[in-house]
C-alpha cells in the first residue's frame, strides 16, 4: 500500500510546462534585446529626384553632422560638405587684382597728363605761321618755347586743350627760341624765361603775357578774353616757374618758312 501511494504522488506531480506552450525565453535574451535597441542605425539620405536604376541599387549612407560647442558654450553644427559655399579669394587672385588696379591707375594718370602723347612737336606742326597770324585779323597767342624746356613739355597738353577749344577764333603760334630767325621777336617781347605766352589783339598789339608753369585757367581766361574782343586780359603780368632763355642753343635757320 505504501508502494501504491508513492507511485501516485510521482505520477500526478504538478508542473507548468506543457507540449502546447513553448518554454519561456531565457533571461539572457531579454538583456540582448535591450542592448540591440540601443544600437544607432545609419542615416539614409533621401533624394528629391529618383536616381537611375544603376544608382538606385545602392543606398548612400551619410554620417550626421558633428556637433560642437563654440566659445560662448552654444551648440553648433559643422559639416564637411562645403561645396555650396562661395570660395574666398586666393592670394594669387588678390595679387592679380592689385597689379591690374595699379596699372589702370598709372595709365589713367599718364593719359590725363600727356593727353595721349601730345608733344611740343605736335603743337608746332599744327601752329599757324607768325606772319599769317598777324595778317588774318584774329587775336593771337604766341608761345616762345624750346625742345629742351621741361616746363614747356609739361604744359603741352594744357595748351592743346585750350587751342582745340578756341580753334578758329584765336590764332596759336609757336616760336622756338633756339631758332635764330626769331632774335628780333625775343627782344621785342622781352623774353627772359620760357614758356612765354604773349597775348595779342586783332591788330597785333600785346595786351599781356604769362610766363612759366601756372594753372591752365590763367591761359584759358586770357584766351577767352581775346576771343570776346575785350580790351585787356585778366592776367596781364603773371610769372611762374620757368626755364631761363639764356640757356637756349641758337641754331641757324634751315627753312626760311619755318616758324619753329
Amino acid at each position: 500500500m505504501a508502494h501504491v501511494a508513492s507511485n501516485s504522488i510521482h505520477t500526478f506531480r504538478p508542473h507548468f510546462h506543457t507540449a502546447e506552450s513553448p518554454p519561456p525565453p531565457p533571461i539572457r535574451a531579454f538583456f540582448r534585446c535591450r542592448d540591440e535597441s540601443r544600437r544607432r542605425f545609419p542615416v539614409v539620405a533621401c533624394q528629391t529626384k529618383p536616381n537611375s536604376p544603376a544608382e538606385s541599387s545602392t543606398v548612400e549612407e551619410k554620417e550626421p553632422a558633428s556637433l560642437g560647442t563654440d566659445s560662448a558654450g552654444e551648440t553648433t553644427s559643422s559639416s564637411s560638405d562645403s561645396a555650396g559655399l562661395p570660395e574666398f579669394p586666393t592670394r594669387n587672385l588678390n595679387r592679380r587684382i592689385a597689379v591690374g588696379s595699379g596699372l589702370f591707375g598709372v595709365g589713367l594718370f599718364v593719359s590725363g597728363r600727356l593727353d595721349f602723347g601730345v608733344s611740343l612737336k605736335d603743337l608746332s606742326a599744327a601752329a599757324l605761321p607768325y606772319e599769317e597770324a598777324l595778317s588774318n585779323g584774329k587775336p593771337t597767342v604766341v608761345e616762345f618755347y624750346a625742345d629742351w624746356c621741361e616746363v614747356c613739355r609739361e604744359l603741352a597738353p594744357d595748351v592743346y586743350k585750350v587751342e582745340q577749344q578756341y580753334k578758329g577764333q584765336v590764332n596759336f603760334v609757336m616760336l622756338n627760341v633756339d631758332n635764330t630767325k626769331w632774335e628780333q621777336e625775343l627782344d621785342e617781347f622781352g623774353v627772359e624765361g620760357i614758356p612765354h605766352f604773349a597775348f595779342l589783339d586783332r591788330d597785333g598789339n600785346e595786351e599781356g603775357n604769362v610766363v612759366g608753369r601756372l594753372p591752365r585757367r590763367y591761359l584759358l581766361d586770357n584766351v577767352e578774353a581775346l576771343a570776346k574782343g575785350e580790351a585787356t586780359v585778366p592776367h596781364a603780368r603773371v610769372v611762374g616757374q620757368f626755364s631761363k632763355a639764356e640757356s637756349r642753343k641758337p641754331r641757324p635757320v634751315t627753312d626760311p618758312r619755318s616758324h619753329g
Side-chain angles (χ1 to χ4, degrees), residues 196-210:
H196 180 110
F197 298 92
F199 303 93
L200 313 181
D201 60 12
R202 301 177 188 275
D203 299 326
N205 300 317
E206 184 181 9
E207 295 187 2
N209 58 74
V210 171

Side-chain angles (χ1 to χ4, degrees), residues 139-159:
T140 302
V141 177
V142 180
E143 179 184 357
F144 293 89
Y145 77 100
D147 295 331
W148 47 264
C149 174
E150 181 180 353
V151 180
C152 301
R153 293 195 301 265
E154 182 180 343
L155 295 181
D158 292 339
V159 176

Side-chain angles (χ1 to χ4, degrees), residues 10-41:
H10 176 75
T11 302
F12 297 99
R13 181 187 300 176
H15 61 84
F16 297 97
H17 175 70
T18 61
E20 292 80 10
S21 61
I27 297 177
R28 61 180 180 178
F30 172 75
F31 290 106
R32 186 185 304 115
C33 181
R34 291 187 62 183
D35 293 340
E36 292 177 356
S37 64
R38 293 182 180 179
R39 183 180 303 173
R40 184 174 60 182
F41 293 94

